[in-house]
Amino acid sequence: MIAILLILVFFGTLIAVIAAAKELGTTIGSYLIASFVLRLGLHWVARNVAFFSHGLGGDALTYEYFAQWISEQWAMHGVKFMTAADNELIGATSLPPNLFGFIIYLNGGQKAPLACTALVALALCVTALNFFKLAMELGARRNVATGITMVLFASPALLFYTSDMYKDGLVLMFVLGAVGSAIRVSRRFSLADFLIGVVCLAALWFVRFYLVFLATLPILIGYMGFGSRGYLRPIVSVFALTVVFAFVLQSQQGANLKTTIDGTFTMATDKATLEGNALGGSAV
């Protein structure tokens, strides 16, 4: 019963976001609503129709397993954010199982794959709306922005990986949220956009941490205001960043960060990683 209520809450949240963006009743608004419902339908098909389910598992079932374990730990010891320190098998991707675990916990410890999928679908739809709005802000015609958004976010791979308990919908939301906010802030500073970017970048660290290093440079450039009309903000920003960077390099935190970056680069360029990426297995 709680799982059904949560699905309705996520759907209501999507309606509220679309309405706040003044897109309720428009083509893109209707597309996002239909996209949310479609993903819930595809989830049922993928899980219950034998032709589409090989039954051997995958990332979605792995996250469901960890989410169930987290929910059980919370029931016994209280709610807290679980990381690899609590279970090394969770690894660096700790946010998705914690989010899914919270949904299962609210559902009385019972599995709630459809409600968890509804959260992923919500993240994807919010990302699609953000993409559409960003395209419009950067000069795309409305019909072009609508068409590209509809085609891109209905691609088969993206449909598959956002119709179950995968992390890809969250990855897309946080990456585009961070980079999009940087683009907006570079044109005109907004505290809301700044905070959205910071939160998305922080959340990305707990979903696909190595993307933080790839996204940081364009975000910093955006926040420093190189796309703005004035000169004072970029100059002050460069000076402040130089001071902070010099201080960090001399600190223990800087040494730890360098170790993390080196380890991340080694992992990302490892032969096994490159071969795995070449074989596919992600929508991002």
Side-chain angles (χ1 to χ4, degrees), residues 59 85 108 152:
D59 281 357
L152 180 62

Side-chain angles (χ1 to χ4, degrees), residues 22-241:
K22 298 181 173 58
E23 296 295 341
L24 199 59
T26 64
T27 301
I28 193 67
S30 300
Y31 166 81
L32 293 174
I33 294 172
S35 182
F36 180 92
V37 176
L38 173 63
R39 280 169 167 79
L40 297 189
L42 289 175
H43 169 81
W44 186 91
V45 171
R47 288 268 182 140
N48 294 280
V49 178
F51 180 80
F52 296 101
S53 177
H54 50 67
L56 297 178
D59 281 357
L61 295 185
T62 299
Y63 292 136
E64 185 175 25
Y65 170 80
F66 286 130
Q68 188 72 45
W69 179 84
I70 288 171
S71 173
E72 293 170 357
Q73 295 301 307
W74 286 351
M76 292 186 292
H77 308 295
V79 177
K80 71 165 218 174
F81 190 83
M82 307 292 278
T83 66
D86 303 289
N87 185 337
E88 63 180 11
L89 296 177
I90 292 177
T93 310
S94 53
L95 183 58
N98 274 274
L99 291 176
F100 299 148
F102 186 61
I103 292 174
I104 294 173
Y105 178 76
L106 293 177
N107 198 44
Q110 300 298 312
K111 290 184 177 181
L114 191 61
C116 294
T117 299
L119 176 62
V120 176
L122 172 62
L124 189 280
C125 291
V126 170
T127 304
L129 180 61
N130 187 20
F131 178 87
F132 169 77
K133 287 293 187 180
L134 190 61
M136 294 276 288
E137 291 169 21
L138 294 176
R141 297 195 307 274
R142 184 178 183 86
N143 63 324
V144 173
T146 300
I148 291 177
T149 302
M150 293 175 68
V151 171
L152 180 62
F153 286 87
S155 63
L158 200 54
L159 279 172
F160 178 81
Y161 284 105
T162 54
S163 297
D164 210 326
M165 294 170 62
Y166 292 98
K167 65 178 178 292
D168 300 75
L170 297 171
V171 173
L172 286 172
M173 183 174 72
F174 296 140
V175 169
L176 188 60
V179 176
S181 71
I183 293 173
R184 292 183 175 103
V185 168
S186 71
R187 296 157 66 91
R188 182 176 62 86
F189 184 82
S190 164
L191 181 60
D193 287 326
F194 176 82
L195 293 176
I196 288 172
V198 171
V199 170
C200 286
L201 197 62
L204 184 61
W205 180 261
F206 297 99
V207 181
R208 188 167 278 182
F209 70 97
Y210 54 85
L211 288 181
V212 171
F213 299 114
L214 299 178
T216 298
L217 183 58
I219 290 171
L220 281 177
I221 292 174
Y223 281 12
M224 291 166 70
F226 285 104
S228 61
R229 296 178 179 178
Y231 296 100
L232 180 61
R233 181 177 155 197
I235 293 174
V236 172
S237 298
V238 169
F239 176 76
L241 184 62

